[in-house]
Amino acid sequence: MSAPRELPIATNGDVVVVRQQTRSLAAEIGLSLVDQTKIVTAASELARNALVHAGGGRVLIEVLEGGRRPGLRLVFTDEGPGIPDVEQALTQGWSTAGGLGLGLSGSRRLVDEFDLVSAPGEGTRVTVTKWAR
């Protein structure tokens, strides 16, 4: 099993690195091209959210092995302002940044497991997992 990779998210270049590392590991564990695209898209959206809404953060990328099938887990954390209303933030089309409002809700649809923990003034942690089919 490869060691978890922790990457900073402080610049647009870091978002690109998160995408590249996610794609590389997703291919390495045998995710289909469609599932690679889904997890990379989710990673990109969540990294961008951390950058735009929290001024940056970090992601821990972990290969999950030992079960019936391998998987890829990404844990995004930031110390930003937090999300006052998590349910509203997960509503498709809701945006505080004037975007399409697809970041969180879209990411949730693209992965097999999604967990979001946030509170005002306490930052945000989003965990997503994609399993090989």
Side-chain angles (χ1 to χ4, degrees), residues 40-107:
V40 169
T41 301
S44 181
E45 291 293 330
L46 295 170
R48 184 146 313 283
N49 273 2
L51 186 59
V52 169
H53 297 288
R58 61 195 166 283
V59 61
L60 182 71
I61 305 173
E62 182 178 15
V63 172
L64 304 174
E65 296 176 310
R68 292 191 331 254
R69 54 195 174 147
L72 197 57
R73 176 178 295 143
L74 288 73
V75 182
F76 292 85
T77 55
D78 68 60
E79 278 100 47
I83 300 171
D85 187 339
V86 169
E87 284 307 310
Q88 184 179 37
L90 288 169
T91 302
Q92 185 172 328
W94 186 80
S95 173
T96 59
L100 297 175
L102 298 174
L104 289 173
S105 64
S107 295

Side-chain angles (χ1 to χ4, degrees), residues 23-33 35-36 70-71 131-133:
R23 181 170 303 284
S24 173
L25 286 171
E28 192 176 298
I29 67 167
L31 289 184
S32 70
L33 188 55
D35 284 343
Q36 288 177 42
W131 297 101
R133 303 271 170 242

